[in-house]
Amino acid sequence: MILFPAIDLIDGKVVRLERGDRGRMKVYSDDPVAIAREFSQAGARWIHGVDLSAAFGEDDSACAANMRAIRSICSIEGLSIDVGGGVRSLARIDQLAAAGAKRIALGTVLVTEPGFAEVAARGFGELLVADIAARDGQVKVNGWRDGVGRSCDEVVSELASLGFKHLVFTDIARDGMQTGIDVDAYRSVARVAGFPVVASGGISTLEDIRALAAAGPEVIEGAITGRALYEGSFTLDQALDAATGR
């Protein structure tokens, strides 16, 4: 199981939000590149980066600061980055690919513009990740603020039929809350998708990571952890060990 330490970016700073709420933000560092290097030195091989400024439609200055950080993180030897947040055009996918991103996550646009999802999947293949967030089984978009009247199962099934092979599923009610994970929710999403998913939202203990790893490679491809790492619930070394079942 891949462990993805999270680096969420607003205006070039490393932050975490509670349940995706921009008004409930905690800043952990002004130097995301240093954080990424620390993760790499501890043994991480992947980073999950989120450009929240782009997702929230913030000003050009904030988005430019995030993009500088993303390019620098992509240049760290031995480290791959999965980047999402506000990716709503083929030009943006091209920009992130040129910066060195190894996976690029699409969220809102997959639901609001299904024609775009089809074109993107055909053109970029396994470079792309479907990033789906839901609360009470209903998909949310635009920084998790808006509903679309569609169930998670419906959207996941549609994206799998278009050819997506990687999917991050976020349980919004648990994200940033350190309330623990619901393994059965990921089993359900993986069953609908027909391939293993990346779990996001709520990891608070090493037991959560072990439980995800124990679900098996047919259910869980990877797990994203953020706040628990930053607030010292466990170290990255411990989390990486737990991801291998130790």
Side-chain angles (χ1 to χ4, degrees):
M1 185 178 82
I2 302 169
L3 189 80
F4 295 84
I7 296 181
D8 291 1
L9 298 166
I10 285 183
D11 195 17
K13 298 176 177 62
V14 180
V15 307
R16 292 297 289 169
L17 309 182
E18 290 186 5
R19 296 173 179 164
D21 185 344
R22 178 67 170 83
R24 303 175 72 181
M25 179 180 79
K26 186 169 183 177
V27 176
Y28 288 100
S29 174
D30 293 329
D31 192 343
V33 182
I35 296 292
R37 287 200 181 98
E38 288 175 11
F39 287 158
S40 179
Q41 289 163 3
R45 292 294 169 260
W46 280 89
I47 294 288
H48 178 70
V50 184
D51 185 342
L52 290 172
S53 293
F56 289 130
E58 296 184 349
D59 61 43
D60 290 347
S61 174
C63 291
N66 285 356
M67 197 63 214
R68 285 194 296 273
I70 290 166
R71 288 194 184 94
S72 295
I73 293 170
C74 286
S75 71
I76 297 173
E77 187 173 352
L79 192 64
S80 298
I81 183 167
D82 160 28
V83 184
V87 183
R88 299 187 177 108
S89 69
L90 296 178
R92 177 64 168 161
I93 297 172
D94 281 332
Q95 181 190 35
L96 290 169
K102 295 299 189 291
R103 292 186 185 180
I104 298 168
L106 306 180
T108 295
V109 71
L110 296 180
V111 181
T112 58
E113 298 181 38
F116 176 86
E118 183 174 5
V119 170
R122 189 166 58 242
F124 292 92
E126 292 208 25
L127 177 66
L128 300 185
V129 179
D131 191 347
I132 301 300
R135 187 193 297 272
D136 299 325
Q138 294 296 304
V139 171
K140 300 290 185 179
V141 298
N142 294 323
W144 307 346
R145 292 167 294 187
D146 302 326
V148 291
R150 299 185 69 189
S151 73
C152 180
D153 285 359
E154 178 187 358
V155 172
V156 169
S157 178
E158 179 180 284
L159 294 173
S161 74
L162 292 178
F164 282 86
K165 299 298 183 186
H166 301 292
L167 187 148
V168 173
F169 175 69
T170 302
D171 185 345
I172 296 170
R174 296 172 184 264
D175 186 73
M177 298 303 294
Q178 291 187 261
T179 52
I181 47 93
D182 179 357
V183 177
D184 286 340
Y186 298 109
R187 287 194 181 97
S188 176
V189 173
R191 184 168 56 250
V192 173
F195 55 82
V197 302
V198 175
S200 174
I203 289 176
S204 59
T205 67
L206 294 174
E207 287 307 311
D208 289 332
I209 298 174
R210 292 189 185 104
L212 290 167
E218 71 283 355
V219 174
I220 302 293
E221 181 188 17
I224 296 167
T225 181
R227 184 181 292 269
L229 271 179
Y230 291 110
E231 300 199 345
S233 297
F234 45 73
T235 68
L236 183 53
D237 286 336
Q238 291 172 324
L240 289 166
D241 281 348
T244 63
R246 294 200 292 273

